[in-house]
Amino acid sequence: MPKLNPEQQKAVTTIETPLLVIAGAGSGKTRVITEKISYLINKGVEAKYITALTFTNKSAGEMRSRVDRLCSSKKAKGIRISTFHSLGFDIIRKEYQTLGFKKNISILDEQDKVKTLQDILENNKRPLDKAQIASFSWQISDWKSKAILPAQAMSISEDQQQQFAAALYKQYQQYNRICNAVDFDDLIIIPLTLFKEHSLVLEKWQNNTRYLLLDEYQDTNTTQYELFKQLVGSVGQFTVVGDDDQSIYAWRGANPENLFTLKNDFPRLEIIKLEQNYRSNQRILKAANQLISNNPHLYEKNLWSNIKSDNKINVIQCKDEFAEAQQIAAEISCAKFKRQASNADFAILYRSNHQARLLERSLRELSLPYAISGGTSFFSHTEIKDILCYIKLLINPDDNNAFLRVVNTPRREIGTTTIEKLAHYANERHISLFDACFEIGLEQQLNERTYRKLRSFCDWIVSLSDRTQHTDSIALLHEMVEHIDYYDWIKTHANSDKQAERKINNVLELIKWIENSAKKSQGKRSLGDIVSRMLLFDSLERNEAKEKTDQIKLMTLHAAKGLEFSYVYLIGMEEGVLPHQNSIDDEQIEEERRLAYVGITRAQKQLTFSYCSQRKKYGDVTSTEPSRFLTELPIEDLNWAAVNKQDPEEQKKKGQANLALMRRLLKTS
């Protein structure tokens, strides 16, 4: 390992004690993890007993490709590199009988979850609006992230609202059991509960996890940390890598205090800091260090770099958000020409998605191509949801959400009154909607024509489902789509021929993707397994291949974590924007400061901040103050005209140079 620095090398070779690696931004943590996997294998640990966990499929894929480059395929065969949720799904899938599930389990996404809660509330004659249901959905997720089961949720509820939420949580879990379904939070809390209640199952999984490596440790929530502890046991053969300064997901349950808890739970824990940064120049790191020093730390660190730069950090004051968008677009246009840079070298980061709207217009006016991270997920398109629900129903007929979505899509003359009667009957019998369609009791509640249509649909699903066992799945999917005349349905309901063509191509792409996944697994994965794993993909990672073009990247600070760009523009540096007003009101400034720190440490060569003197809010124009985070930066490293008075002659020369540059730019465009 000649290219590793001394701290990295020590992190790789420390395997006899539990290890926490405090890895600053750009310090090569992924390399340390992959080199350590190679080191473990060379030390005689069989690959099948090594587990590496991270939080996104992208990170897991990158880790896998690096390991494949370091180790021979034979040596690395059997190693588990996956997300936390993929591991949880594998545990549930393999232990389904002990857990009391049927074999093919459906995974609910957030839309499915909200729809299920809506159905439960309507069955209870308590319909609520979407915002209220979303609030209950969040509360249930929060309880699950803290390893709180329904009974405990009820016991700790402090008011009527929380008691209602706890009762809904209990009904939601019971409903999902009937449907043989789990949501994303269940993929962690169900394995944890399983391990606590079945010691032999836990022992089996511990024996298969001789060494565990965990990336982005600061992003773990309580349930994930408890599951991690169960897997490593008291022996504690593990390496966790994290950075409390990059903990920016408290809103979804991440608990950076887990960094502190680790030392108490594992007294033999050794701690190594990675402070050398290979991404940014020293001036940018100095600013990042000074900013984050205002947060309390259990483990102090100081990022440094051998990369020097004469460029100061720019701070631009703008009149309002319109001027800010125009100024940033013009700055990028000039910088591109001046530095002969590509569009993809530039990123514009912001606190909230709405800040991108004006930027888009300004970039278009200057013919600057851009891509926004955070667009529509491939899986959220109507046609994709429809076909996936048909497939899910073939795999798990008890999936009520899938049943309700497709039973009348395309239309089969099965109206809402029929569905209401069916749902009421199934609810009373505590069975799935699909099972209810085969009961004589339902036949007596519906007219013969309606019941025949329902039964015909279910018989067709049974027939197709049986054929998945011995017929080519891809041919079957094409046959299914043709049988329901789905392409004609799309053409009839599309707003234009172009939209219809796009939707049909999306369906074909989905089936092609399933086909490719089946080929990669060499027939080892069933159709159900392939679809379940597809749904575990992060919503936007599906579209990564389309984004790897020469475009300026626009994204939130949350989305920027883990990325790097030559030139970074961090806009909206104002009180109420960054830090966000909600965080100011809730006294959550430390997390906002970490967000700013993440934004700063994305920059490699040049960093620019911008802020407005006034901004339109709720239709009124109000004065704004520069962000407190700007005042926490080293003033001597800032090119901030409003604060650092510049020499008039020097300012004039700079203006003339910029004007000449713009003229040349216009001539060549």
Side-chain angles (χ1 to χ4, degrees):
M1 298 169 283
K3 293 181 182 178
L4 297 179
N5 67 40
E7 290 76 21
Q8 289 174 328
Q9 187 139 348
K10 188 179 179 186
V12 168
T13 56
T14 301
I15 60 174
E16 298 302 324
T17 59
L19 177 64
L20 166 62
V21 179
I22 303 292
S27 62
K29 66 182 178 65
T30 305
R31 178 149 186 237
V32 165
I33 292 172
T34 52
E35 290 279 4
K36 187 153 197 172
I37 290 170
S38 175
Y39 183 78
L40 286 165
I41 292 171
N42 289 331
K43 280 289 181 180
V45 181
E46 286 186 65
K48 65 180 180 181
Y49 296 129
I50 299 172
T51 296
L53 297 179
T54 184
F55 279 84
T56 67
N57 291 294
K58 179 185 175 184
S59 298
E62 182 184 347
M63 206 179 286
R64 167 71 66 183
S65 63
R66 289 197 189 192
V67 169
D68 289 343
R69 288 198 297 269
L70 284 170
C71 304
S72 68
S73 56
K74 187 177 180 182
K75 279 189 174 183
K77 188 177 181 181
I79 186 172
R80 176 189 293 279
I81 300 176
S82 74
T83 64
F84 245 118
H85 290 92
S86 293
L87 172 64
F89 176 64
D90 279 347
I91 294 169
I92 293 171
R93 193 170 54 87
K94 288 176 182 174
E95 309 296 341
Y96 74 93
Q97 289 177 313
T98 306
L99 287 163
F101 282 100
K102 297 175 187 176
K103 186 174 183 181
N104 291 310
I105 300 166
S106 294
I107 299 176
L108 306 181
D109 63 16
E110 187 58 31
Q111 290 179 36
D112 296 329
K113 181 182 176 185
V114 169
K115 181 67 170 62
T116 298
L117 292 172
Q118 184 180 350
D119 290 342
I120 293 168
L121 290 164
E122 287 176 354
N123 285 336
N124 292 343
K125 309 298 181 188
R126 293 286 300 270
L128 298 174
D129 63 39
K130 286 184 178 180
Q132 290 172 307
I133 295 172
S135 174
F136 284 123
S137 176
W138 178 88
Q139 178 62 77
I140 290 169
S141 283
D142 189 53
W143 275 325
K144 289 183 181 183
S145 76
K146 293 172 180 171
I148 296 171
L149 297 171
Q152 188 183 355
M154 184 62 77
S155 68
I156 63 172
S157 295
E158 297 175 351
D159 52 37
Q160 277 191 321
Q161 177 88 345
Q162 284 209 330
Q163 286 173 2
F164 182 80
L168 181 60
Y169 178 16
K170 182 180 179 181
Q171 285 183 284
Y172 171 71
Q173 293 301 96
Q174 290 172 340
Y175 185 93
N176 283 344
R177 277 298 172 124
I178 292 170
C179 299
N180 206 45
V182 294
D183 63 25
F184 280 89
D185 298 311
D186 287 330
L187 297 176
I188 310 298
I189 197 168
I190 288 176
L192 174 61
T193 307
L194 171 73
F195 288 162
K196 286 181 176 178
E197 295 176 355
H198 298 274
S199 57
L200 290 178
V201 175
L202 171 60
E203 187 179 343
K204 179 178 74 175
W205 282 89
Q206 284 179 338
N207 288 337
N208 288 327
T209 312
R210 307 280 175 84
Y211 203 96
L212 194 149
L213 302 103
L214 175 55
D215 192 14
E216 303 289 4
Y217 176 71
Q218 77 280 349
D219 292 339
T220 55
N221 60 35
T222 301
T223 310
Q224 287 162 338
Y225 178 58
E226 289 297 319
L227 181 60
F228 160 80
K229 278 203 302 180
Q230 293 278 6
L231 282 168
V232 300
S234 57
V235 178
Q237 293 284 80
F238 66 79
T239 294
V240 298
V241 182
D243 179 9
D244 54 335
D245 290 333
Q246 295 188 73
S247 180
I248 57 174
Y249 295 115
W251 52 277
R252 68 182 190 198
N255 186 9
E257 285 75 22
N258 288 342
L259 281 163
F260 313 148
T261 309
L262 201 63
K263 183 67 176 173
N264 296 328
D265 290 338
F266 299 94
R268 295 171 58 240
L269 184 74
E270 188 164 346
I271 298 164
I272 296 172
K273 298 178 189 177
L274 303 183
E275 296 174 295
Q276 183 175 359
N277 176 287
Y278 296 92
R279 173 190 299 156
S280 308
N281 65 53
Q282 182 58 34
R283 181 164 262 150
I284 290 170
L285 295 180
K286 180 184 173 185
N289 287 331
Q290 187 159 315
L291 173 75
I292 207 65
S293 67
N294 292 280
N295 275 5
H297 293 84
L298 181 65
Y299 305 113
E300 295 289 343
K301 69 176 184 303
N302 188 60
L303 290 181
W304 61 275
S305 170
N306 284 325
I307 307 167
K308 307 300 179 187
S309 174
D310 294 330
N311 295 325
K312 286 191 174 185
I313 295 167
N314 294 318
V315 182
I316 302 171
Q317 180 183 13
C318 305
K319 179 187 175 184
D320 53 29
E321 61 266 43
F322 300 96
E324 181 182 48
Q326 290 173 340
Q327 176 88 12
I328 295 300
E331 290 274 336
I332 291 175
S333 187
C334 273
K336 261 188 68 183
F337 183 83
K338 188 175 181 180
R339 298 178 174 120
Q340 295 297 296
S342 302
N343 293 304
D345 292 331
F346 295 86
I348 307 174
L349 310 182
Y350 36 80
R351 178 62 177 83
S352 303
N353 278 309
H354 69 83
Q355 292 173 261
R357 292 170 194 156
L358 291 173
L359 284 167
E360 287 190 78
R361 190 169 74 186
S362 295
L363 291 170
R364 282 198 301 267
E365 285 172 355
L366 292 178
S367 300
L368 292 170
Y370 64 88
I372 297 182
S373 294
T376 304
S377 162
F378 181 74
F379 294 115
S380 68
H381 290 297
T382 302
E383 63 277 9
I384 298 302
K385 292 282 281 185
D386 286 347
I387 300 304
L388 278 177
C389 281
Y390 268 105
I391 298 171
K392 286 161 79 174
L393 205 57
L394 296 184
I395 298 157
N396 172 23
D398 293 325
D399 190 328
N400 280 359
N401 281 306
F403 183 95
L404 287 170
R405 185 176 184 98
V406 303
V407 68
N408 205 35
T409 304
R411 291 207 167 88
R412 296 182 177 87
E413 298 179 32
I414 299 172
T416 53
T417 305
T418 301
I419 297 300
E420 283 173 12
K421 289 180 180 178
L422 171 62
H424 182 70
Y425 179 85
N427 194 45
E428 283 190 333
R429 295 275 293 122
H430 300 289
I431 57 177
S432 69
L433 299 173
F434 188 84
D435 283 347
C437 292
F438 293 90
E439 295 211 345
I440 296 172
L442 178 69
E443 188 176 0
Q444 294 170 349
Q445 294 191 20
L446 301 175
N447 66 57
E448 184 183 350
R449 182 172 176 273
T450 302
Y451 178 74
R452 202 165 58 242
K453 287 184 178 296
L454 258 183
R455 184 61 187 267
S456 173
F457 170 72
C458 292
D459 285 340
W460 175 67
I461 292 293
V462 170
S463 171
L464 273 184
S465 183
D466 288 343
R467 289 175 59 198
T468 60
Q469 307 302 317
H470 49 78
T471 305
D472 174 56
S473 296
I474 307 307
L476 196 69
L477 293 182
H478 284 297
E479 181 189 323
M480 178 189 78
V481 173
E482 288 174 17
H483 177 84
I484 61 176
D485 295 324
Y486 192 73
Y487 296 139
D488 287 339
W489 163 261
I490 286 176
K491 290 172 184 175
T492 303
H493 291 82
N495 296 326
S496 64
D497 291 344
K498 191 173 181 180
Q499 186 189 53
E501 183 182 1
R502 187 175 70 249
K503 285 176 174 287
I504 290 170
N505 285 336
N506 279 345
V507 173
L508 292 170
E509 185 180 348
L510 174 68
I511 296 173
K512 186 67 178 176
W513 191 18
I514 293 171
E515 183 180 7
N516 290 338
S517 298
K519 285 177 181 176
K520 283 180 185 176
S521 73
Q522 297 178 331
K524 293 177 183 176
R525 288 182 183 169
S526 66
L527 180 62
D529 193 23
I530 290 168
V531 170
S532 295
R533 289 177 188 279
M534 283 169 60
L535 295 173
L536 283 172
F537 266 55
D538 293 348
S539 60
L540 292 172
E541 289 178 358
R542 175 65 188 86
N543 295 321
E544 278 174 7
K546 297 177 183 177
E547 291 181 4
K548 290 178 182 176
T549 53
D550 187 29
Q551 296 173 309
I552 298 162
K553 299 300 186 290
L554 276 61
M555 66 185 72
T556 64
L557 289 160
H558 285 100
K561 188 166 173 285
L563 303 177
E564 57 186 44
F565 305 93
S566 295
Y567 310 102
V568 168
Y569 294 78
L570 213 170
I571 70 168
M573 291 293 290
E574 303 140 38
E575 290 291 299
V577 180
L578 183 66
H580 196 278
Q581 191 60 49
N582 290 345
S583 297
I584 296 173
D585 296 340
D586 296 339
E587 298 183 350
Q588 297 292 325
I589 297 299
E590 289 174 17
E591 175 137 344
E592 293 291 301
R593 188 176 283 112
R594 291 194 291 268
L595 262 180
Y597 174 84
V598 165
I600 290 170
T601 53
R602 299 311 95 196
Q604 296 170 306
K605 297 178 180 178
Q606 181 69 58
L607 176 64
T608 301
F609 297 106
S610 68
Y611 67 94
C612 301
S613 300
Q614 60 185 40
R615 191 176 286 271
K616 187 177 280 189
K617 192 174 183 182
Y618 305 123
D620 297 323
V621 175
T622 57
S623 296
T624 57
E625 293 293 324
S627 170
R628 68 190 73 186
F629 300 150
L630 288 175
T631 65
E632 293 173 358
L633 300 175
I635 191 70
E636 67 275 11
D637 290 305
L638 303 182
N639 180 23
W640 188 354
V643 175
N644 295 338
K645 298 300 179 186
Q646 293 184 346
D647 176 52
E649 192 61 35
E650 190 65 32
Q651 206 167 354
K652 184 180 177 182
K653 285 180 182 177
K654 187 179 177 183
Q656 288 172 340
N658 282 338
L659 189 61
L661 185 65
M662 284 300 289
R663 283 174 180 152
R664 289 201 301 274
L665 180 65
L666 289 169
K667 281 181 183 178
T668 56
S669 62

